[in-house]
Amino acid sequence: MLLLALDTATPAVTVALHDGTAVIASSSQVDARRHGELLLPAVDRVLAEAGVKLDAVTGIVTGIGPGPYTGLRVGLMTADTFGLALGVPVHGLCTLDGLAYAADIEKGPFVVATDARRKEVYWAVYEDSRTRRTDPAVDRPADIAEKVAGLPAVGAGALLYPDTFPVAHEPEHVSAAALASLAAEKLAAGEELPEPRPLYLRRPDAQVPKNYKVVTPK
């Protein structure tokens, strides 16, 4: 097994290689506006660090969000392209699950919350680092304050809104190393991973204008 994992659902552009036993190379850069520029160089850097070629990869793992439309689709399209070019399976994993897996919380329940912009968070509640209790959702922090009251929280969303998430833990952003390790663990146990389809949870910001004026030449 040689899994190439990547995620662009948060401001982190993150890539890792996992050989079925451990992560053998990884790279993470935080830049919310440069996913498209940074992802492929990160893949090259990780492959070089591990001393392997791309054609040695036996499977792709990609974070499927939830996340903003523009950033998220960079990782998903790259994963699909690699899968087609190499003829290997492409697996999806919820980005929030990767954060939960890497969380430094020994016992749940706890919350994972990432920044959804528009003064909202993407969030879910976890029983432990491998078990999600609720489906991913997007809400204003004040609207979920009662639901998450008293629970420790992980992620950039928790750090942004301390009134709702007063007990915040690392990590701030997801890492492909955590996604790769979780995927390898699940695959080894015979579990079926989600399809690599995006969890947007809401419509993209860019939309076709309504009732625009049509101008035709005379």
Side-chain angles (χ1 to χ4, degrees):
M1 177 188 292
L2 186 62
L3 295 176
L4 173 65
L6 52 93
D7 193 293
T8 58
T10 74
V13 179
T14 179
V15 180
L17 276 173
H18 196 290
D19 66 2
T21 301
V23 173
I24 58 174
S26 64
S27 171
S28 291
Q29 296 171 270
V30 177
D31 192 327
R33 298 182 180 274
R34 299 177 62 211
H35 293 94
E37 294 178 50
L38 298 175
L39 182 57
L40 291 180
V43 171
D44 289 341
R45 191 162 53 249
V46 165
L47 291 170
E49 181 182 337
V52 299
K53 301 292 186 181
L54 183 60
D55 59 8
V57 169
T58 61
I60 312 293
V61 178
T62 180
I64 59 175
Y69 179 83
T70 302
L72 182 54
R73 66 178 178 173
V74 171
L76 287 163
M77 291 302 296
T78 301
D80 280 344
T81 301
F82 282 155
L84 287 171
L86 298 172
V88 299
V90 181
H91 308 287
L93 270 182
C94 176
T95 298
L96 301 180
D97 291 357
L99 272 162
Y101 186 81
D104 186 23
I105 299 178
E106 294 183 0
K107 186 178 180 181
F110 62 92
V111 186
V112 174
T114 60
D115 182 16
R117 305 174 188 173
R118 303 183 191 175
K119 298 182 179 180
E120 295 178 331
V121 293
Y122 298 117
W123 67 284
V125 177
Y126 287 78
E127 196 64 46
D128 54 51
S129 62
R130 294 167 179 79
T131 310
R132 180 158 27 94
R133 179 191 287 183
T134 64
D135 290 333
V138 58
D139 289 288
R140 289 182 176 270
D143 294 340
I144 61 171
E146 291 186 8
K147 296 179 181 178
V148 302
L151 299 181
V154 175
L159 296 171
L160 280 172
Y161 302 101
D163 288 345
T164 300
F165 308 102
V167 183
H169 294 253
E170 294 289 337
E172 182 176 356
H173 301 300
V174 70
S175 73
L179 282 175
S181 297
L182 178 58
E185 184 178 297
K186 287 178 174 289
L187 289 171
E191 294 185 38
E192 186 173 341
L193 299 184
E195 291 291 318
R197 298 293 176 262
L199 287 172
Y200 291 131
L201 300 188
R202 67 185 182 203
R203 297 180 64 82
D205 292 329
Q207 297 183 23
V208 176
K210 297 180 179 178
N211 301 319
Y212 60 88
K213 183 179 180 180
V214 178
V215 179
T216 57
K218 293 182 179 180

